[in-house]
Amino acid sequence: MKILWKGLGTSLMMVGITIGQTLWGGTWGVYPAAAAQPLQTMSDFAAHPAKESILLGLQKGYIWKYPDGRFYPDKQIVQSQFVASLVAIRGVKETAPVPELPVGHWAKGTYERAQKAGILADVKIDPNKLLTKEEAAQLVFNAWKPYRGVKMKGYTHTGALITWGWMDPAPAGQPKFREDLPVSRGDAAKILAYLWKDKWQLEMGAKWAEEFHRSLKSTNGMLTGEVPKGDNLLYLNVKVYTKDGKVFGYENNGEFRFPLSSVKEISFMAINKIDSSNAALYFYTQFPKLTRENKTIQFSRP
């Protein structure tokens, strides 16, 4: 898994280092310029439940230790820390004005990137604010709107994120969707790991979907195509639905050939082999135009 993420990790690590430098000097003294500092220093999280998520974030450069080399996984995360991580994962470079923060403010550069990316929509800007689950979940849905759409209706941000599986529910004996509970840095690391992996798989799913799309040919009354070879993480599947009610399936590296007049619909799907999450889903219903419709799973399921 870590090998698969290596290329994307390098570029985002550089963004993370820049953000770390921007935030250095804040009142909570976080995110030094050495965002890619050695991972062997795990004195305060070696036995923590979020250890693997923390290690992933440190390796990829979207979370940071404090200047003393510790991560403090049980310390409540503040808004600017979480925003900085979301900006780093998104790889945002462009900016938009944030008048709430004065010129020269230690967090202004990061918040301007977050503003441009829509991460701060309907959020009260307060870099030092200790985040609750509801506040963190809202930032997540804002950041991930371009990828997975909007949260499910009828849920708070907390309830929707817990239902999606990216936030832990409240401890046993409490209401499952308690929005007021604090979010620790360890909690945040686990949430951010889900985002990192989801962004990576969505990008890979789109890549393989594009390769499949380029393979489709409609010539001399025949429709042909090839399923990409893919990779070790994603299972690729193409289904050809014919007008007589039959369905033909093809997997990684498969090829097909059908009379164009017999084809009713084609679907392309990329699924994560580990957790069965959806990385890409496209449908073709217009022939011979081969126009496709993106149906990749969204937060709000129909």
Side-chain angles (χ1 to χ4, degrees):
M1 292 291 285
K2 291 183 179 179
I3 293 174
L4 292 175
W5 299 329
K6 186 175 181 181
L8 185 58
T10 300
S11 61
L12 288 190
M13 184 174 292
M14 294 309 298
V15 175
I17 291 172
T18 301
I19 293 170
Q21 291 171 328
T22 300
L23 292 182
W24 176 245
T27 56
W28 30 274
V30 71
Y31 301 167
Q37 55 196 298
L39 301 180
Q40 63 267 25
T41 305
M42 298 186 295
S43 60
D44 68 334
F45 67 89
H48 198 276
K51 172 186 171 181
E52 294 304 319
S53 295
I54 294 170
L55 285 174
L56 176 66
L58 292 173
Q59 180 187 3
K60 302 306 178 182
Y62 59 80
I63 58 177
W64 300 265
K65 296 178 184 178
Y66 279 79
D68 64 3
R70 298 187 180 190
F71 186 76
Y72 295 97
D74 296 319
K75 192 181 186 72
Q76 190 171 357
I77 197 164
V78 297
Q79 186 187 86
S80 47
Q81 292 172 333
F82 200 61
V83 167
S85 293
L86 294 172
V87 168
I89 292 176
R90 284 280 305 270
V92 186
K93 296 180 180 179
E94 297 181 351
T95 62
V98 180
E100 293 91 337
L101 298 180
V103 175
H105 190 282
W106 53 268
K108 191 171 181 66
T110 296
Y111 273 73
E112 287 178 339
R113 292 182 178 89
Q115 185 82 301
K116 181 65 176 181
I119 296 171
L120 301 178
D122 300 318
V123 171
K124 181 180 179 181
I125 294 174
D126 184 353
N128 294 310
K129 180 176 178 53
L130 296 169
L131 290 185
T132 64
K133 298 184 82 165
E134 181 66 11
E135 290 160 344
Q138 181 178 0
L139 288 166
V140 168
F141 280 110
N142 286 350
W144 235 241
K145 185 177 180 179
Y147 303 108
R148 295 288 187 180
V150 298
K151 73 176 180 69
M152 293 177 288
K153 294 181 179 179
Y155 287 81
T156 62
H157 293 93
T158 303
L161 200 60
I162 290 173
T163 301
W164 186 258
W166 285 1
M167 177 179 274
D168 291 338
Q174 301 183 31
K176 182 178 180 180
F177 297 156
R178 271 195 63 184
E179 296 89 356
D180 60 319
L181 291 178
V183 176
S184 71
R185 285 167 54 82
D187 295 333
K190 291 198 290 185
I191 295 169
L192 294 165
Y194 282 118
L195 299 183
W196 171 275
K197 295 172 186 177
D198 194 51
K199 185 172 186 284
W200 186 89
Q201 74 172 8
L202 286 170
E203 290 174 346
M204 293 304 298
K207 171 188 173 182
W208 298 128
E210 182 61 29
E211 185 173 321
F212 170 69
H213 184 68
R214 291 196 302 266
S215 81
L216 285 177
K217 299 291 186 295
S218 175
T219 55
N220 300 321
M222 299 298 294
L223 180 66
T224 60
E226 298 180 24
V227 185
K229 183 178 180 180
D231 52 53
N232 293 329
L233 178 64
L234 298 181
Y235 164 70
L236 308 181
N237 177 270
V238 170
K239 287 187 170 63
V240 179
Y241 301 82
T242 59
K243 293 178 180 178
D244 59 1
K246 296 179 180 179
V247 181
F248 298 85
Y250 303 87
E251 301 179 355
N252 299 54
N253 226 23
E255 301 180 12
F256 60 85
R257 178 183 175 88
F258 286 88
L260 185 62
S261 60
S262 70
V263 179
K264 178 182 179 182
E265 183 176 270
I266 296 176
S267 67
F268 172 89
M269 180 172 57
I271 296 294
N272 187 313
K273 296 177 183 177
I274 297 175
D275 60 11
S276 298
S277 55
N278 182 279
L281 179 60
Y282 290 82
F283 283 94
Y284 296 80
T285 57
Q286 299 182 38
F287 306 98
K289 291 183 178 181
L290 302 181
T291 302
R292 58 180 173 168
E293 186 176 3
N294 188 349
K295 290 289 188 179
T296 303
I297 300 300
Q298 302 283 290
F299 284 130
S300 294
R301 300 180 177 91

